Amino acid sequence: MYTIGQVEEITGVKQHVLRYWEEVIPGFAPKKDFGGRRLYSQKDMETVLRMKHLIYQKKFTIEGARDQIINESEAFEKSADLLGQIRSARRELTEAFFALRKFRQ
């Protein structure tokens, strides 16, 4: 976990910008400790670096970068779901293979 100061130091994104991004990016909300200090996870850090890349290198607007991150997240969820379905199908095929093999013997 990273504090907001550490995230600023590592990424070069100012703290007030990080707090603003929390408001405009769905799902980007670092946890807070008992004292109310923000604690950023590795996933949060990756989101910050992706936003920074889209805005500063690719010249996206904040809204455009937000939409891109949302689209990427949805695509990842769909691919993760597809991967789960593939694993399930493999498991079923393997069980069927061994059942047929046992039946033939």
Side-chain angles (χ1 to χ4, degrees):
M1 298 299 262
Y2 304 93
T3 65
I4 194 168
Q6 290 170 324
V7 174
E8 178 182 17
E9 185 177 341
I10 293 167
T11 66
V13 178
K14 298 290 184 187
Q15 293 181 29
H16 68 277
V17 174
L18 294 168
R19 288 189 291 271
Y20 175 70
W21 288 355
E22 289 175 30
E23 295 175 16
V24 298
I25 304 171
F28 177 60
K31 295 181 179 180
K32 294 186 180 179
D33 67 9
F34 292 113
R37 292 179 296 257
R38 289 167 170 79
L39 296 175
Y40 291 79
S41 67
Q42 187 61 39
K43 184 177 184 261
D44 294 328
M45 182 71 81
E46 291 167 7
T47 300
V48 169
L49 291 171
R50 184 69 178 141
M51 281 290 289
K52 180 181 177 184
H53 173 75
L54 291 171
I55 293 170
Y56 297 111
Q57 272 73 46
K58 295 291 186 178
K59 305 299 182 192
F60 278 60
T61 63
I62 291 174
E63 292 78 16
R66 177 197 63 213
D67 293 345
Q68 179 69 24
I69 287 176
I70 290 169
N71 290 337
E72 290 171 359
S73 176
E74 289 171 354
F76 178 76
E77 288 175 15
K78 288 178 185 176
S79 65
D81 183 48
L82 181 59
L83 183 59
Q85 291 174 6
I86 291 169
R87 286 183 177 144
S88 178
R90 282 183 181 160
R91 185 173 38 256
E92 290 174 18
L93 287 170
T94 302
E95 290 170 3
F97 171 79
F98 285 113
L100 284 171
R101 190 175 177 190
K102 185 178 179 181
F103 178 73
R104 285 185 174 175
Q105 293 175 352

